[in-house]
Amino acid sequence: MLGLLRSLARAAVRRDDASRFQLLTDFGAKVFPKYRFHWPQMDWWNDAEFNAYLAKIGELPSFNTERKWTLAQLLRLVAHVPGDTAECGVNLGASSYLICRANAASRQEKWHHGFDSFEGLSQPGAQDGSFWKGGDLAVSLETAAANLAGFSRCRLYKGWIPERFPEVAGRSFSFVHVDVDIYEPTKASVEFFYPRLAVGGLLVCDDYGFTTCPGATRSIDEFLKDKPEKMIALADGGGVFIKGVRV
């Protein structure tokens, strides 16, 4: 406690970032010893365009900014890959916004397809643990559509996954983002989109590796067990594989 008080005094006197960060880590070590802090000198934190996106979509104060930055960077890998894009689990449209923005900057005419019940999660199963319950994360179709209104090549499909997947069965995809948190819809999503993913295309599962989403992680690992691709777990949560790249 004495050390914490000394850090507080230094931070109050010096008012510099190093002292504030030391205070934060000292305090964190007392109240949540297992938590691992990040170094605060991340250059991307100062990216004006990205921060404007976070503010517009309501994600600036959230815990998701690292994953959103990673998503934006991964999209650069498929700018040259032919095929549409898709998201399973649209919610507010924050990730679809990044995908649509990348599509608009591409020289290829890619359509984005977003699938969501817009009624929240379906009922979790036994393999999903106890964190989620049916109806969690509900956002209206109108809210998501308003956030994505600036993109002309974007279509949202309201319905429980995988009810409306057949409407895009004849298309190929360069990028698929799966963010449905629980086992069954994650399983249905990867089963449908894997054979339609172009070589060099990416499938990202936002929930992969989270202890709150054991069913999502399990469904991906089970599906890829006999496939050449394997999921690459990302440090800030989520995972990605590249179609046609053996791991």
Side-chain angles (χ1 to χ4, degrees):
M1 182 59 70
L2 182 60
L4 182 59
L5 292 174
R6 286 172 178 168
S7 294
L8 180 60
R10 284 197 302 269
V13 172
R14 296 176 61 182
R15 296 179 181 273
D16 62 276
D17 286 349
S19 296
R20 291 182 178 120
F21 185 62
Q22 185 64 56
L23 174 62
L24 181 64
T25 55
D26 287 349
F27 184 73
K30 298 295 184 183
V31 299
F32 198 171
K34 294 197 301 182
Y35 186 76
R36 300 180 185 185
F37 285 90
H38 294 247
W39 290 110
Q41 297 89 359
M42 297 296 104
D43 190 52
W44 66 267
W45 287 9
N46 302 313
D47 187 293
E49 182 181 11
F50 187 69
N51 285 336
Y53 147 75
L54 291 173
K56 175 182 176 63
I57 213 73
E59 289 279 357
L60 191 58
S62 79
F63 299 140
N64 300 320
T65 57
E66 287 88 355
R67 300 210 306 287
K68 293 296 185 288
W69 177 260
T70 298
L71 177 62
Q73 297 303 299
L74 290 174
L75 283 160
R76 297 170 60 194
L77 296 175
V78 299
H80 65 289
V81 178
D84 287 347
T85 59
E87 180 168 49
C88 306
V90 175
N91 196 252
L92 290 166
S95 297
S96 279
Y97 188 100
L98 288 176
I99 299 169
C100 288
R101 188 177 70 174
N103 288 354
S106 172
R107 295 181 179 180
Q108 303 184 46
E109 294 186 357
K110 300 184 179 188
W111 275 82
H112 180 64
H113 309 270
F115 299 88
D116 199 302
S117 70
F118 296 106
E119 296 179 30
L121 298 181
S122 53
Q123 190 62 37
Q127 59 270 70
D128 293 308
S130 59
F131 186 82
W132 299 110
K133 62 181 183 296
D136 282 351
L137 305 175
V139 171
S140 71
L141 172 62
E142 292 74 19
T143 298
N147 286 332
L148 300 169
F151 301 104
S152 58
R153 295 193 183 96
C154 176
R155 184 181 178 190
L156 300 180
Y157 302 75
K158 178 177 170 58
W160 295 102
I161 289 172
E163 288 176 357
R164 301 195 65 181
F165 284 176
E167 295 176 48
V168 298
R171 294 180 178 269
S172 63
F173 294 85
S174 59
F175 192 92
V176 177
H177 189 250
V178 179
D179 187 5
V180 288
D181 298 281
I182 58 177
Y183 181 89
E184 289 296 342
T186 302
K187 179 176 183 288
S189 297
V190 70
E191 286 179 347
F192 179 83
F193 283 103
Y194 178 87
R196 295 170 174 83
L197 197 61
V199 172
L202 272 62
L203 188 145
V204 177
C205 179
D206 182 78
D207 314 305
Y208 188 84
F210 277 91
T211 57
T212 53
C213 302
T217 302
R218 177 179 173 181
S219 66
I220 294 285
D221 288 342
E222 287 178 351
F223 180 81
L224 293 178
K225 186 174 182 179
D226 61 350
K227 307 294 189 299
E229 303 88 358
K230 295 295 180 286
M231 213 64 165
I232 302 298
L234 304 173
D236 289 303
V240 58
F241 69 81
I242 307 173
K243 182 68 176 290
V245 175
R246 179 181 294 273
V247 176

